[in-house]
Amino acid sequence: MSTDTATATRAVVQDFLQARLAGDTDRMVELFADDVDWLLAENPAVPWIRPRSTGAECAAQSGELAAHTVPEDSRASLDTFLVDGTDAVLFGHLSGTVRATGKSFEGPFALRLTVENGRITRHHLYENSLSIAQACTAS
């Protein structure tokens, strides 16, 4: 793979991160491919975690997350951003509070993205799903 491919991948991922941070769903729809290989472990206790496959469904996830969590308590830090050709892998830490229960969640995350023809075709997120499920469960 060429350096140009990696540079283009990095640019799209940075654009995606900025759109995600800004809550710019329209821009995220543009950045996601029409069909996306989406992986986020299903978690019936968590309303924003569900199967997705279209660019619009994938982009809507951030809005659903925002609707169910307390915005001022949401944190994400990025420790590592690696790019190899069309693939990007990000490692970091996230935390937040579920609006309905007032419970917090936190943990590390890894995100693998693939960019083809300027659009995200793969979005695989690995996170502390147990912490998130516990925060969504009233007790």
Side-chain angles (χ1 to χ4, degrees):
M1 290 269 158
S2 73
T3 304
D4 291 343
T5 300
T7 300
T9 297
R10 182 176 293 277
V12 170
V13 172
Q14 288 173 324
D15 194 4
F16 167 73
L17 294 173
Q18 290 172 349
R20 175 87 191 220
L21 186 61
D24 187 346
T25 304
D26 291 337
R27 181 64 185 140
M28 284 188 286
V29 169
E30 293 171 0
L31 291 169
F32 277 113
D34 295 338
D35 294 308
V36 179
D37 175 8
W38 176 275
L39 177 69
L40 180 54
E42 287 189 54
N43 198 331
V46 183
W48 64 87
I49 297 179
R50 61 180 176 77
R52 298 167 193 271
S53 62
T54 69
E57 289 172 342
C58 295
Q61 192 267 344
S62 67
E64 293 170 18
L65 172 64
H68 291 283
T69 58
V70 179
E72 56 270 13
D73 290 350
S74 296
R75 303 278 182 276
S77 62
L78 186 60
D79 303 322
T80 305
F81 182 173
L82 305 170
V83 177
D84 183 16
T86 61
D87 290 312
V89 179
L90 296 81
F91 297 99
H93 191 272
L94 57 84
S95 63
T97 302
V98 175
R99 187 183 309 272
T101 64
K103 294 181 182 178
S104 297
F105 59 88
E106 62 87 24
F109 77 87
L111 175 61
R112 178 182 181 192
L113 299 169
T114 300
V115 176
E116 298 172 297
N117 299 316
R119 298 180 79 194
I120 298 168
T121 58
R122 177 185 297 141
H123 181 287
H124 290 187
L125 179 62
Y126 307 91
E127 61 187 4
N128 186 349
S129 57
L130 178 59
S131 176
I132 296 168
Q134 289 173 336
C136 288
T137 304
S139 59

Coordinates of all heavy atoms in Angstrom, one line a residue, residues 77-82 89-93 108-111 126:
S77 N -10.8 9.6 25.5 CA -9.5 10.0 25.2 C -8.9 9.1 24.2 O -9.2 7.9 24.2 CB -8.6 10.0 26.5 OG -8.6 8.7 27.0
L78 N -8.0 9.6 23.4 CA -7.4 8.8 22.3 C -5.9 8.6 22.7 O -5.2 9.6 22.8 CB -7.6 9.4 21.0 CG -7.1 8.7 19.7 CD1 -7.8 7.3 19.6 CD2 -7.4 9.5 18.5
D79 N -5.5 7.4 22.9 CA -4.1 7.2 23.2 C -3.2 6.8 22.0 O -2.0 7.2 22.0 CB -4.0 6.0 24.2 CG -4.8 6.2 25.5 OD1 -4.8 7.4 26.0 OD2 -5.4 5.3 26.0
T80 N -3.8 6.1 21.1 CA -3.1 5.6 19.9 C -3.9 5.7 18.7 O -5.1 5.4 18.7 CB -2.6 4.1 20.2 OG1 -1.9 4.0 21.4 CG2 -1.8 3.6 19.1
F81 N -3.3 6.1 17.6 CA -4.0 6.2 16.3 C -3.0 5.6 15.3 O -2.0 6.3 14.9 CB -4.3 7.6 16.0 CG -5.1 7.9 14.8 CD1 -5.5 9.2 14.6 CD2 -5.3 7.0 13.8 CE1 -6.2 9.6 13.4 CE2 -6.0 7.3 12.6 CZ -6.5 8.6 12.5
L82 N -3.2 4.4 14.8 CA -2.4 3.7 13.9 C -3.1 3.6 12.5 O -4.3 3.3 12.5 CB -2.0 2.3 14.4 CG -1.4 2.2 15.8 CD1 -1.3 0.7 16.2 CD2 0.0 2.8 15.8
V89 N -6.6 1.9 13.3 CA -6.9 1.4 14.7 C -6.7 2.4 15.7 O -5.6 3.0 15.7 CB -6.1 0.1 15.0 CG1 -6.5 -0.4 16.3 CG2 -6.3 -1.0 13.9
L90 N -7.7 2.7 16.5 CA -7.6 3.7 17.6 C -7.8 3.0 18.9 O -8.7 2.1 19.1 CB -8.7 4.7 17.4 CG -8.6 5.6 16.1 CD1 -9.2 4.9 14.9 CD2 -9.3 6.9 16.3
F91 N -7.0 3.4 19.9 CA -7.1 2.9 21.2 C -7.3 4.1 22.2 O -6.7 5.1 22.0 CB -5.8 2.1 21.7 CG -5.5 0.9 20.9 CD1 -4.6 0.9 19.9 CD2 -6.2 -0.3 21.1 CE1 -4.3 -0.2 19.1 CE2 -5.9 -1.4 20.4 CZ -5.0 -1.4 19.4
G92 N -8.1 3.9 23.2 CA -8.3 4.9 24.1 C -9.2 4.5 25.3 O -9.3 3.3 25.6
H93 N -9.8 5.5 25.9 CA -10.6 5.2 27.1 C -11.8 6.1 27.0 O -11.8 7.2 26.5 CB -9.8 5.6 28.4 CG -10.4 5.2 29.6 ND1 -11.3 6.0 30.3 CD2 -10.2 4.1 30.4 CE1 -11.7 5.3 31.4 NE2 -11.0 4.2 31.5
P108 N -11.6 0.9 28.7 CA -10.8 1.1 27.5 C -11.6 0.7 26.2 O -12.6 0.1 26.3 CB -9.6 0.1 27.6 CG -10.2 -1.0 28.5 CD -11.2 -0.3 29.4
F109 N -11.2 1.2 25.1 CA -11.8 0.8 23.8 C -10.8 0.7 22.7 O -9.7 1.2 22.8 CB -12.9 1.9 23.4 CG -12.3 3.1 22.8 CD1 -12.0 3.2 21.4 CD2 -12.0 4.2 23.6 CE1 -11.4 4.4 20.9 CE2 -11.5 5.4 23.1 CZ -11.2 5.5 21.7
A110 N -11.1 -0.1 21.7 CA -10.4 -0.2 20.5 C -11.4 -0.1 19.4 O -12.4 -0.6 19.4 CB -9.6 -1.5 20.4
L111 N -11.0 0.7 18.4 CA -11.9 0.9 17.2 C -11.1 0.7 15.9 O -10.0 1.2 15.7 CB -12.4 2.4 17.2 CG -13.2 2.8 16.0 CD1 -14.5 2.0 15.8 CD2 -13.6 4.3 16.1
Y126 N -14.6 -2.3 20.1 CA -14.5 -3.2 21.2 C -14.4 -2.3 22.4 O -13.5 -1.4 22.5 CB -13.2 -4.0 21.0 CG -13.2 -4.8 19.7 CD1 -12.6 -4.2 18.6 CD2 -13.8 -6.0 19.6 CE1 -12.5 -4.8 17.4 CE2 -13.7 -6.7 18.3 CZ -13.1 -6.0 17.2 OH -13.1 -6.7 16.0

